[in-house]
Amino acid sequence: MTVSATDKPTHRPPSSAAKSTPSVLQAMADLRPEHVAFLGEYSASAQDRRIDVQILCWPTVSAAWSMLTQSLTMLQPLRRGDGPASLRTPIASWLHDVAPQLCLPVREPNAAESTLATLIRRLPLRFAVAVVEHQAGQSSGSDALRYRSLYSGCLTAYGAYLKSTNQTACRIIIASPGNATDNDLRRATYNEVLPHLDSAARLGALELGFWPETSVPLPMEVAQLAAASVGRHLERPSEASPLFETVRAHLAPPSRFHSLSRQKRRK
């Protein structure tokens, strides 16, 4: 898979990730685009609960990631002004914090969410979501248990999608970078979960890798944006969100998210 100039950051990776750079980027370079999926994550703590959301995002056609880059390029002259000041002024919102590259062409903060929702809605991709939610006073368990639940939820839904569509699994899932200790725990937990899933044979040797730089590819920003939209919906279920509705329309069932969402709407 070739990472375009738009998708790949140009600065050097931090030293803590340097050792992982050759393996992850080489693995992507040796794969077709449809063989690469991305993982988005969102966590929030409030006075009464903690929410962790994980979203797996994968393409349904080989041209999906290049279509994302092309769509963003076409969006620039439509949404940005002609003057240099507008090119230098990013929107100030949670959207820019989560997906700065996707938000770069968007000049009006009030229109940013609907614009990005429209962009994602037109892309040939799907999502699988898992949610871990703890009420105040409940033990959240270890990080390994939390990761195990999130990976199981996403991979189970992904495996069900592959079975229903008779498609082949991706070869690698790329996650955002963390510190070395956390990455080791995430990878170890993932490797423990994968062989015990009902869909393990269909998923095959699906590898988990970590992007070696702070600035991430555009597809990962889509996954991060999707995870954040789900998390923010769980925090604010009464607020309208075009992004959340778009993500929900792209979800591959089964998912714990569906039951959580229905429970909240019944309250």
Side-chain angles (χ1 to χ4, degrees), residues 135-155:
Q135 298 298 325
Q138 291 181 332
S139 173
S140 61
S142 69
D143 288 339
L145 289 175
R146 177 166 53 89
Y147 288 136
R148 185 175 292 114
S149 179
L150 293 171
Y151 288 138
S152 296
C154 284
L155 293 174

Side-chain angles (χ1 to χ4, degrees), residues 13-266:
S15 58
S16 60
K19 293 183 179 179
S20 65
T21 303
S23 59
V24 173
L25 295 185
Q26 185 60 46
M28 292 179 67
D30 292 341
L31 295 175
R32 295 174 58 87
E34 64 268 29
H35 292 158
V36 181
F38 292 86
L39 203 65
E41 297 168 301
Y42 176 88
S43 296
S45 296
Q47 292 183 350
D48 60 338
R49 59 179 171 165
R50 172 191 170 100
I51 296 172
D52 291 287
V53 179
Q54 187 177 86
I55 276 196
L56 178 62
C57 174
W58 67 91
T60 58
V61 300
S62 60
W65 300 143
S66 61
M67 289 173 64
L68 170 60
T69 302
Q70 293 167 6
S71 297
L72 193 65
T73 301
M74 293 174 62
L75 187 65
Q76 292 179 5
L78 298 177
R79 304 299 297 173
R80 293 167 73 174
D82 296 329
S86 64
L87 300 179
R88 294 195 301 266
T89 305
I91 65 171
S93 72
W94 69 271
L95 295 164
H96 184 267
D97 294 337
V98 173
Q101 296 174 95
L102 292 177
C103 287
L104 189 60
V106 184
R107 185 173 56 182
E108 304 89 350
N110 293 336
E113 185 171 350
S114 59
T115 299
L116 294 177
T118 300
L119 184 149
I120 294 173
R121 187 181 304 119
R122 296 172 177 172
L123 294 174
L125 53 81
R126 295 298 297 270
F127 299 114
V129 64
V131 176
V132 174
E133 188 172 2
H134 302 285
Q135 298 298 325
Q138 291 181 332
S139 173
S140 61
S142 69
D143 288 339
L145 289 175
R146 177 166 53 89
Y147 288 136
R148 185 175 292 114
S149 179
L150 293 171
Y151 288 138
S152 296
C154 284
L155 293 174
T156 295
Y158 181 46
Y161 168 83
L162 294 174
K163 182 178 180 180
S164 65
T165 59
N166 197 30
Q167 293 190 12
T168 303
C170 293
R171 300 278 297 280
I172 190 170
I173 298 173
I174 305 297
S176 59
N179 61 62
T181 300
D182 190 50
N183 287 352
D184 289 342
L185 175 61
R186 293 158 74 188
R187 182 179 284 108
T189 305
Y190 175 89
N191 290 336
E192 290 174 2
V193 168
L194 184 61
H196 297 288
L197 297 174
D198 292 339
S199 55
R202 190 174 296 274
L203 293 173
L206 181 57
E207 179 185 354
L208 175 67
F210 300 100
W211 187 254
E213 307 189 24
T214 303
S215 181
V216 300
L218 291 177
M220 186 175 291
E221 284 201 359
V222 170
Q224 298 280 39
L225 198 62
S229 71
V230 171
R232 289 174 63 86
H233 169 74
L234 293 174
E235 293 175 299
R236 308 167 179 83
S238 62
E239 290 186 7
S241 171
L243 267 173
F244 168 73
E245 296 301 334
T246 295
V247 171
R248 178 159 57 180
H250 281 70
L251 282 175
S255 169
R256 289 178 57 190
F257 167 75
H258 291 290
S259 62
L260 282 172
S261 180
R262 287 196 295 269
Q263 289 172 6
K264 290 184 177 298
R265 286 196 293 271
R266 285 199 296 266

